[in-house]
Amino acid sequence: MAERPVSAASFEARIEALLGRMSLDQKLGQMTQAERMAITPDEVRDFHIGSVLSGGGSTPGENTPADWVAMNDAYWAASTEERPDGAPAIPLLYGVDAIHGHNNVRGATVFPHNIGLGAANDPDLLERIARVTAREILATGVEWTFAPTLAVARDLRWGRTYESYGETPEIVSRYASAFVRGLQGDLGSDSVIACAKHWVGDGGTEEGVDQGETTLSESDLRTIHIAPYLPALEAGVLTVMASYNSWNGVKCHGHEYLLTQVLKDELGFSGFVISDWDGIDQLSSDPQEAIVLGANAGIDMFMVSVEWRRFIQGLKSGVERGRIPMERIDDAVRRILRVKLACGLFERPRPSQRRWSGHASFGSPEHRAVAREAVRKSLVLLKHEGDVLPLKRDARILVAGKNAHDRGHQCGGFTIAWQGTSGQEFVEGGTSIWEGILENAPDAVLDPDIASVDPSEFDLAVVVIGERPYAEGMGDIRSAERVEPGSRPHQDRADLAPYGQTLQLSALHPEDLEVIRGIASSGTPLVAILVSGRPLVADEEMAASSAFIAAWLPGSEGQGVADVLFGEHDFTGRLSFSWPGSQALTRSQSPFNSEPLFPRGHGLRLTDG
């Protein structure tokens, strides 16, 4: 881990001094992370809670930075209140899923999801994005984000494909250290704590089933899925989150070899491991047994959404009955204290008094300019015929398609709500793709659902198509009846309706092809822009279009799309995932088991038309 000006030796001496003053109850509280809606500040104080988090869409008040600061201030004050028994007051950490900007908060700068950033292939840009994200997190009084995601997605049917930078470990590895550096900096007051996730193999599950089974040799696990963690660890990432998936039949949350022997002992990780949301529930239908298995495997802090009281009781019972060694508890607490000391948490003032709290830079034009640059660099031009690009500002442009004027769809899942939102209402600030076009071509016309066109009225059409928002299991492409391998007993991913049963865009969203064909049949040249969390089989849509652009999930700054459409910048994005053609529909839909329509690295420039 990166060191603060205080020496690591003095950290260890301070840790041992704190540990010596802590009761068992206080130690167990430090190992507990509860969701904000299930715990009050008084309970944080009384149970010595180590951390609180916001789940997706769980926000205070009117969801403004000021509301977040006030909430964190109350939790902080409770955790640092002087104890009548003389036990040390240990400030808590507040954690959020700020995975593409501080995406839970109204008015935040929302960056493209990772799949688009992978196409940009720009580690320097990634570090700047992480730095902006850290500033906006700090503006809300928060200290910790569960990012970066270092998954190497190997099957496009996985509902979290958009959280992956690419299908091979090289691009993910290049980004890992840059993002950690951008978030953690020098671990001073301008920094937040990073969390590399999900350890390990989450992107390699069979048939892309979320939280399923990853079956492969240890050599392949290390080469493909562990490799991106090495630069993150070298950069000093302070926390690592365990993964829901299993590896060769054993759930990672209970995998002592992966969590302790490999991550901590072999790779020298000295920070702490946190579970995913109720992740230990998958280890056993007996909650007590699940706690024992998770703790002994090497989980240090447990993310427990609601039943945190029961968890603490179960953890204490495991210790008192000799099933969890006291040495394991002390090791976990040492690691948690080490992280809190390393980031200067004990020295930071309460959230409302911190330098960045409520700062005017939150959602500022300067921050949005970085996001707009990221959008420009992420766009991949897959087809260009007839010199339809760049667009001319005085052209008669028709803009159509359901995703043309929908900032919610642009941002995708994990934005304001867990599964994302639709429309303009919830993503405040920024521009839709339509608004970006209108800024450049004031005479452009928007008609999202147009069925037919008079070719004498328009010179060209831009049709923005694609997916609606989703997250995790609800983004999977699979049979609705499927029961996944190794699913947890209390809430199978199979209980969540999948996004669909095919990667074929025309089957998932026939309305897109209907609009495209209606316009193309008039002879009007057409530029199709696909907003999606993964490559899709779009042969029919491409065939009817003069140009076809993969825009991924660009986030709040749709104007970045217009910057390239009108030629202010050229297309520079290159595929970080192989793009499937129609043959993938008759074989495994993994890009590794079919000849791609476009290989990884493909991407045209305007001069390549």
Side-chain angles (χ1 to χ4, degrees):
M1 295 190 300
E3 291 188 12
R4 291 174 55 75
V6 180
S7 70
S10 68
F11 282 165
E12 298 308 309
R14 191 172 175 186
I15 288 167
E16 293 308 314
L18 287 168
L19 202 63
R21 295 171 56 200
M22 294 172 69
S23 66
L24 176 59
D25 286 342
Q26 191 168 22
K27 293 175 181 179
L28 303 183
Q30 284 300 299
M31 295 174 67
T32 305
Q33 182 186 65
E35 212 285 328
R36 57 168 288 275
M37 295 184 69
I39 194 166
T40 66
D42 285 345
E43 289 169 329
V44 164
R45 178 196 63 223
D46 295 344
F47 288 87
H48 315 284
I49 299 299
S51 179
V52 175
L53 85 151
S54 281
S58 177
T59 59
E62 297 299 315
N63 194 18
T64 66
D67 292 323
W68 282 80
V69 170
M71 174 190 67
N72 283 303
D73 219 42
Y75 282 126
W76 176 274
S79 70
T80 56
E81 189 173 308
E82 186 175 343
R83 312 286 172 167
D85 58 1
I90 300 173
L92 92 166
L93 285 171
Y94 200 98
V96 293
D97 272 309
I99 61 173
H100 63 135
H102 201 1
N103 41 266
N104 274 317
V105 187
R106 283 174 46 201
T109 305
V110 182
F111 291 92
H113 269 296
N114 288 354
I115 191 170
L117 300 179
N121 195 22
D122 188 337
D124 174 70
L125 172 64
L126 257 289
E127 186 166 350
R128 288 186 286 125
I129 287 171
R131 197 173 302 129
V132 168
T133 300
R135 299 294 186 271
E136 298 208 357
I137 292 169
L138 291 167
T140 61
V142 174
E143 304 93 5
W144 183 18
T145 175
F146 307 129
T149 298
L150 300 180
V152 180
R154 306 290 279 185
D155 195 307
L156 301 176
R157 291 169 292 184
W158 188 34
R160 304 189 79 152
T161 295
Y162 64 76
E163 295 185 57
S164 174
Y165 296 117
E167 69 187 16
T168 60
E170 287 77 16
I171 184 66
V172 186
S173 298
R174 288 187 68 204
Y175 279 4
S177 58
F179 207 85
V180 170
R181 287 195 304 270
L183 290 175
Q184 293 191 169
D186 63 358
L187 296 175
S189 61
D190 296 345
S191 307
V192 298
I193 296 170
C195 181
K197 67 181 188 183
H198 307 85
W199 179 268
V200 63
D202 50 347
T205 59
E206 294 177 3
E207 301 181 29
V209 174
D210 190 45
Q211 304 185 15
E213 159 67 16
T214 298
T215 304
L216 74 173
S217 68
E218 181 169 348
S219 175
D220 285 345
L221 183 78
R222 287 176 177 268
T223 301
I224 299 168
H225 299 287
I226 289 180
Y229 285 84
L230 304 183
L233 295 171
E234 181 66 24
V237 68
L238 290 173
T239 64
V240 171
M241 183 180 291
S243 184
Y244 283 123
N245 69 280
S246 57
W247 174 50
N248 293 343
V250 179
K251 281 288 183 180
C252 291
H253 273 72
H255 212 300
E256 190 269 344
Y257 176 70
L258 290 177
L259 292 173
T260 297
Q261 294 185 44
V262 175
L263 178 61
K264 294 179 178 179
D265 297 342
E266 177 188 331
L267 299 180
F269 176 60
S270 58
F272 71 79
V273 174
I274 183 167
S275 76
D276 207 334
W277 181 278
D278 294 336
I280 59 166
D281 289 0
Q282 300 189 7
L283 301 181
S284 174
S285 58
D286 177 356
Q288 177 66 51
E289 183 67 17
I291 292 168
V292 170
L293 290 170
N296 287 337
I299 302 292
D300 301 308
M301 182 180 283
F302 294 78
M303 187 186 296
V304 186
S305 61
V306 175
E307 298 292 341
W308 56 270
R309 288 174 181 262
R310 186 180 71 180
F311 165 75
I312 292 174
Q313 292 170 354
L315 190 60
K316 187 172 186 178
S317 174
V319 174
E320 292 175 340
R321 293 164 59 191
R323 300 197 64 203
I324 304 174
M326 197 61 211
E327 291 82 0
R328 172 77 272 271
I329 299 298
D330 284 345
D331 173 61
V333 178
R334 280 191 187 95
R335 291 171 174 276
I336 293 165
L337 292 174
R338 186 177 295 127
V339 169
K340 291 185 174 185
L341 287 166
C343 72
L345 195 65
F346 285 80
E347 288 71 47
R348 293 191 189 194
R350 61 191 302 157
S352 61
Q353 296 174 4
R354 295 174 188 170
R355 171 189 174 192
W356 289 102
S357 288
H359 200 274
S361 63
F362 183 89
S364 65
E366 293 78 14
H367 287 183
R368 293 185 184 278
V370 178
R372 185 170 171 177
E373 176 188 351
V375 175
R376 293 196 300 264
K377 291 182 173 179
S378 69
L379 302 176
V380 180
L381 181 60
L382 297 176
K383 176 184 178 181
H384 186 209
E385 295 177 351
D387 294 326
V388 294
L389 294 173
L391 302 182
K392 297 177 175 58
R393 287 174 170 77
D394 60 355
R396 298 173 299 166
I397 301 172
L398 168 67
V399 180
K402 67 177 185 292
N403 286 341
H405 187 40
D406 197 313
R407 291 196 295 272
H409 285 197
Q410 281 176 203
C411 292
F414 287 104
T415 311
I416 301 300
W418 175 40
Q419 293 292 326
T421 65
S422 294
Q424 315 305 326
E425 178 183 358
F426 300 103
V427 180
E428 297 182 2
T431 53
S432 68
I433 293 173
W434 153 249
E435 289 168 330
I437 293 173
L438 185 63
E439 179 72 19
N440 287 270
D443 294 328
V445 174
L446 175 68
D447 191 343
D449 304 314
I450 192 167
S452 62
V453 175
D454 181 346
S456 67
E457 293 184 3
F458 299 102
D459 299 315
L460 178 138
V462 176
V463 183
V464 190
I465 58 176
E467 295 181 311
R468 63 180 185 272
Y470 53 79
E472 301 185 65
M474 294 183 76
D476 282 1
I477 297 293
R478 56 176 168 79
S479 167
E481 291 76 35
R482 177 179 173 80
V483 177
E484 72 193 68
S487 60
R488 56 179 164 177
H490 301 305
Q491 185 185 353
D492 292 344
R493 293 288 91 180
D495 289 346
L496 300 178
Y499 191 84
Q501 299 184 33
T502 176
L503 286 171
Q504 186 173 9
L505 177 58
S506 61
L508 291 171
H509 293 288
E511 70 278 6
D512 290 343
L513 185 57
E514 182 179 351
V515 171
I516 286 176
R517 282 180 170 167
I519 295 171
S521 64
S522 71
T524 304
L526 186 148
V527 176
I529 300 175
L530 179 65
V531 171
S532 70
R534 53 193 152 208
L536 295 169
V537 176
D539 298 41
E540 297 167 282
E541 293 81 2
M542 286 189 195
S545 305
S546 300
F548 196 94
I549 300 163
W552 314 111
L553 297 170
S556 60
E557 307 310 304
Q559 198 162 26
V561 177
D563 291 342
V564 181
L565 287 178
F566 287 90
E568 292 184 19
H569 298 266
D570 202 349
F571 289 89
T572 59
R574 298 291 183 268
L575 294 177
S576 60
F577 285 86
S578 305
W579 194 284
S582 57
Q583 72 278 2
L585 300 175
T586 58
R587 305 171 65 181
S588 169
Q589 296 174 85
S590 166
F592 300 97
N593 294 318
S594 61
E595 189 69 25
L597 181 64
F598 300 114
R600 186 177 65 257
H602 176 76
L604 302 174
R605 289 181 176 268
L606 289 173
T607 53
D608 296 331

